[in-house]
Amino acid sequence: VTAWLAELAWLGGEGLASDVVIACDGAGRLVRVAPGQAAPADAVRLRGVVLPGLANVHSHAFHRALRGRVQSGAADFWRWRDRMYALAAVLDPDGLFELARAVYAEMALAGMTVVGEFHYLHHRPGGGPYADPNAMGRALVDAAAEVGIRLTLLDACYLRGGFGGEPLAGVQERFGDGDAEGWATRVAGLAAPVDPGATRDHQGDAAGAGSGRGGVDGQPPAGWRLGAAVHSVRAVDVPSMRVVADWAARNAAPLHLHLSEQPAENEQALAATGCTPARLAGDAGALGPRTAAVHATHLAGDDITLLCETGTAVCLCPTTERDLGDGVGPADRLAAAGCPLSLGSDSHAVIDLFEEARLVELHRRLVRHERGAHDAPALLGAATAGGYRALGWSEGGELVLGALADFVVVDHRSVRLAGLDPARGAAALVYGASAADVSDVVVGGRTVVRDGEHVGLPDVAAALDRSIRSLGERL
Ligand SMILES: [Zn+2]
């Protein structure tokens, strides 16, 4: 048993508890969460506010290389996508591994203990498979393992260029598996057990910079799980969506899809089929309690009712949605209708889940000219338990007995949080904290970040810099 004594902790609700003893067993599960208790003599003291680990539900790790390169200047979503595609065209498994490892380490520093990687960059440029057809997916699995955070690999089916059945062209050829059965066959190989002691070997090469594979402190990795994704209703027809949905149901796996991020998707769906994207997904059996619809910005008609009646969750990505000019989704109406919400940093223009959480409420204030649709505990819940559930780790995201021992420490003595009132601690965290206030991160009982430093990758900024610069002028 490992024990900690948290100076303050968020256990749900508006306020914070004091002097909370937290202990976990050798399996990385919480066996004690006790406020106001005397700590065991060997307890590690945590100076700050402890809260459950943050769940980044929607990530495309490689988009991080575009930060600062695509934000400035006028261009719509589709022009941004051209720039993103130029980057997608040049990544190979080793390059993706290097970049993703640094990006996941940036996430760990920001307090993220689990990430959902929405992965569609599957094959060689031109579309042929690597020797291991899942070399790119395994690069992501290895990257998360090396920096000690949990991963749900949401392997995306991507089959066509649009509603007219246009064939994949250019860089999109890397995304496709031919048909949904091809997707399922490839994914079956990925689901095979991975030996955590195996040498990393993405392309038949000797292991490269992936030294120390096996996770932080040489311990077993935090673990990864497999989920399914439908890239979007643009990229996957209804019968193929049904194949993916059936696979997810058979495997009790999460199923994610981009939904109504752009008005053009709705217009094209309506013109081609007479249905909204949500209705198409529903007709394919792709909505349900294990499904998370990402963005859900431009819902129309009875889409909200459809999502809520099927128990579908929604993952909001406000910093990306504002960066791309997507719009502001109806998070308030979704929440009021009982839709479970979660959060993702998506394009990684920003990696800060406190920022994502507060923007859910703040964007709504700008649109509706009123305050208070989402209270602070609900927003923190979306950043923690809501995200864990959406990623298929429903045993995590809360500081309760039996839960995964995943938690973070936020330094409330920073200039941003100084003066915090513990009775209103949840609001202070949501509206005052930033990723830079995270001092310590524990995943499965193991310390991944200590005093603001990643334990396994001491200079995360240098790793990011090296990886992004290596992509060179293609950016
Ligand atoms: Zn996305």
Side-chain angles (χ1 to χ4, degrees):
V1 172
T2 309
W4 297 265
L5 175 62
E7 182 181 4
L8 295 165
W10 180 68
L11 303 176
E14 298 280 355
L16 305 176
S18 300
D19 298 326
V20 180
V21 176
I22 298 170
C24 86
D25 62 15
R29 298 292 189 124
L30 293 173
V31 294
R32 197 169 172 207
V33 180
Q37 299 274 309
D42 61 349
V44 177
R45 290 180 183 270
L46 301 173
R47 198 166 172 271
V49 183
V50 172
L51 66 157
L54 304 174
N56 190 359
V57 172
H58 190 66
S59 162
H60 308 284
F62 74 93
H63 290 195
R64 170 64 179 82
L66 299 170
R67 185 188 296 171
R69 290 175 157 84
V70 294
Q71 267 86 40
S72 183
D76 68 4
F77 172 90
W78 307 100
R79 291 279 304 284
W80 167 85
R81 196 181 71 160
D82 290 342
R83 299 287 300 276
M84 184 269 284
Y85 275 5
L87 171 61
V90 301
L91 284 163
D92 64 10
D94 286 327
L96 181 62
F97 169 79
E98 293 290 334
L99 180 54
R101 181 175 59 164
V103 174
Y104 294 155
E106 182 183 354
M107 291 182 193
L109 292 177
M112 297 166 195
T113 48
V114 61
V115 57
E117 179 71 21
F118 194 108
H119 169 55
Y120 53 83
L121 197 49
H122 300 305
H123 300 295
R124 289 180 189 276
Y130 288 103
D132 171 1
N134 289 302
M136 295 292 265
R138 287 195 210 285
L140 295 162
V141 170
D142 290 347
E146 283 223 0
V147 298
I149 69 172
R150 303 184 195 277
L151 171 80
T152 298
L153 186 68
L154 299 154
D155 192 297
C157 183
Y158 198 122
L159 301 176
R160 62 179 186 177
F163 287 100
E166 299 88 336
L168 298 179
V171 69
Q172 291 178 334
E173 290 174 336
R174 302 190 72 178
F175 309 164
D177 293 298
D179 54 31
E181 286 72 25
W183 170 85
T185 302
R186 181 179 53 71
V187 167
L190 191 51
V194 176
D195 176 4
T199 305
R200 197 174 71 82
D201 187 6
H202 292 312
Q203 287 181 290
D205 307 333
S211 58
R213 191 189 190 287
V216 171
D217 295 341
Q219 297 295 311
W224 69 284
R225 291 178 182 175
L226 184 61
V230 164
H231 179 273
S232 59
V233 298
R234 279 177 284 127
V236 183
D237 57 274
V238 166
S240 300
M241 249 190 285
R242 188 167 289 120
V243 172
V244 179
D246 286 348
W247 181 94
R250 271 200 314 280
N251 291 280
L255 171 62
H256 288 211
L257 78 162
H258 292 121
L259 189 80
S260 293
E261 179 177 7
Q262 286 284 320
E265 178 176 286
N266 282 46
E267 291 157 14
Q268 291 164 8
L270 285 167
T273 69
C275 297
T276 64
R279 173 59 61 189
L280 286 173
D283 288 350
L287 301 181
R290 277 190 309 276
T291 299
V294 180
H295 303 300
T297 307
H298 298 283
L299 299 180
D302 62 355
D303 286 351
I304 290 178
T305 306
L306 177 60
L307 292 175
C308 294
E309 284 182 349
T310 53
T312 304
V314 167
C315 174
L316 305 160
C317 306
T319 65
T320 292
E321 289 151 10
R322 76 178 176 190
D323 181 56
L324 296 176
D326 289 340
V328 179
D332 51 344
R333 287 186 286 144
L334 286 164
C339 175
L341 300 182
S342 55
L343 303 168
S345 63
D346 189 3
S347 68
H348 311 313
V350 173
I351 292 181
D352 185 338
L353 232 51
F354 297 108
E355 174 84 347
E356 305 289 349
R358 62 180 158 258
L359 288 181
V360 172
E361 164 68 14
L362 295 176
H363 282 171
R364 177 206 176 263
R365 292 182 187 180
L366 289 171
V367 171
R368 301 289 296 276
H369 309 163
E370 57 186 22
R371 313 171 89 200
H374 306 273
D375 64 27
L379 294 170
L380 277 185
T384 54
Y388 269 77
R389 273 196 301 275
L391 291 174
W393 299 84
S394 56
E395 72 274 49
E398 291 182 276
L399 297 176
V400 296
L401 293 184
L404 298 172
D406 296 2
F407 55 86
V408 306
V409 186
V410 172
D411 177 12
H412 63 289
R413 294 178 178 83
S414 76
V415 289
R416 285 164 294 275
L417 289 168
L420 170 143
D421 173 5
R424 286 173 285 184
L429 291 169
V430 168
Y431 293 102
S434 86
D437 297 322
V438 172
S439 62
D440 295 77
V441 177
V442 172
V443 180
R446 286 199 323 276
T447 298
V448 172
V449 173
R450 182 178 290 122
D451 294 332
E453 300 264 317
H454 193 278
V455 169
L457 193 60
D459 194 340
V460 175
L464 282 163
D465 186 67
R466 203 165 48 239
S467 168
I468 293 170
R469 282 183 192 282
S470 76
L471 297 167
E473 70 278 7
R474 273 122 174 174
L475 295 174

